[in-house]
Every structure is written in structure tokens, then in C-alpha cells.
Amino acid sequence: MRILKWIDVFVFLCFAGYLVSRWQWNARYAIGMGMGVAGFALWMVARAELGASFAVRAKASELVTSGLYSKIRHPIYFFGGIAIAGLFIALGKIVPLTIFVLGYSTQFLRIKKEEAVLEQAFGEDYRRYRASTWF
């Protein structure tokens, strides 16, 4: 199960490496790679801030409300999505980008499940936290 925690990062880095090997000098590539780098950095910060509470399946071990989590309830999903979308923008092909956006929207199902688990475990504390954050 431990390897599953890092497979998304591995795939992202392989995709980024592929795109770097096909360097292009244009605005679309620069914007996409910029989104990819910034999104990846914040994605990793969010994972570090979540610490031991990070899990592949929804569980409630601790309610993390500091750092990025003080403003955004799901920064891993948010910044991971920005990072990956940035790479697809840099790739410059609309069909893969569209497929990614449609596929990534299924993360909202995971978010709903996680929120239900957290609300059941932390009750009113989680509801107050949810009311004070975005996404």
C-alpha cells in the first residue's frame, strides 16, 4: 500500500521528464510548464503538511487545519490538478487535456467520501473548518 501513496508523483515526474525532453520555445509550453512546476511544488507542500494523515483511502486520523489547509480543504487535489493540467497544456494537444479534465472531475466523488468520513469523525469541528475554507 505504501507504493500507492507515491505512484501519482512518479507518473507526474515521468510525464514532466518527457515534456522537458521535448522542450519548445513558445508561450503555451512556458505557461503549461510554469503551472506544472508551481502546482507540483504546492502539491508536495500540501502532502508534507498532511503528514501521517495522508492516505490512499479516506480515513480520519487528525483534522489538519494549518498551512495550505487553513484556506483550502483539499489542496492536494487542487494543486495536483493544476500541476497535471499544466503538463497537458504544455503538451499542446486538446484531446488529452479534455480527457484529463473530464477524468479528474471524478475526484469530486473522492472528496465527498473524504468529507463524510471527516464529518463523522470530527463533527462540529469539521463543519466549522469546512465553513471557513474554500474547496
Side-chain angles (χ1 to χ4, degrees):
M1 192 59 103
R2 203 175 274 208
I3 195 165
L4 288 177
K5 289 184 176 185
W6 294 102
I7 196 136
D8 56 345
V9 174
F10 176 75
V11 170
F12 175 87
L13 292 174
C14 288
F15 187 23
Y18 168 76
L19 290 172
V20 167
S21 75
R22 299 175 51 90
W23 186 266
Q24 299 174 32
W25 291 100
N26 61 51
R28 178 199 34 80
Y29 182 85
I31 290 167
M33 291 303 281
M35 285 174 60
V37 169
F40 182 75
L42 291 167
W43 176 17
M44 293 301 103
V45 167
R47 284 181 71 151
E49 288 177 349
L50 196 54
S53 295
F54 179 78
V56 175
R57 291 192 175 139
K59 69 175 188 169
S61 56
E62 177 186 1
L63 184 58
V64 177
T65 61
S66 59
L68 294 173
Y69 288 86
S70 69
K71 303 294 180 204
I72 302 172
R73 278 192 313 280
H74 304 285
I76 290 175
Y77 296 123
F78 182 73
F79 292 117
I82 288 173
I84 296 166
L87 295 188
F88 278 109
I89 290 168
L91 180 64
K93 308 237 185 266
I94 193 70
V95 172
L97 175 61
T98 303
I99 291 169
F100 165 74
V101 169
L102 292 174
Y104 203 75
S105 66
T106 63
Q107 294 292 19
F108 288 107
L109 299 173
R110 287 184 66 173
I111 288 169
K112 285 281 204 198
K113 186 174 187 173
E114 286 179 11
E115 288 186 339
V117 167
L118 292 168
E119 186 167 5
Q120 184 175 15
F122 301 110
E124 188 57 36
D125 287 341
Y126 181 72
R127 287 187 285 278
R128 271 193 304 275
Y129 166 70
R130 186 176 61 208
S132 71
T133 59
W134 178 73
F135 180 68

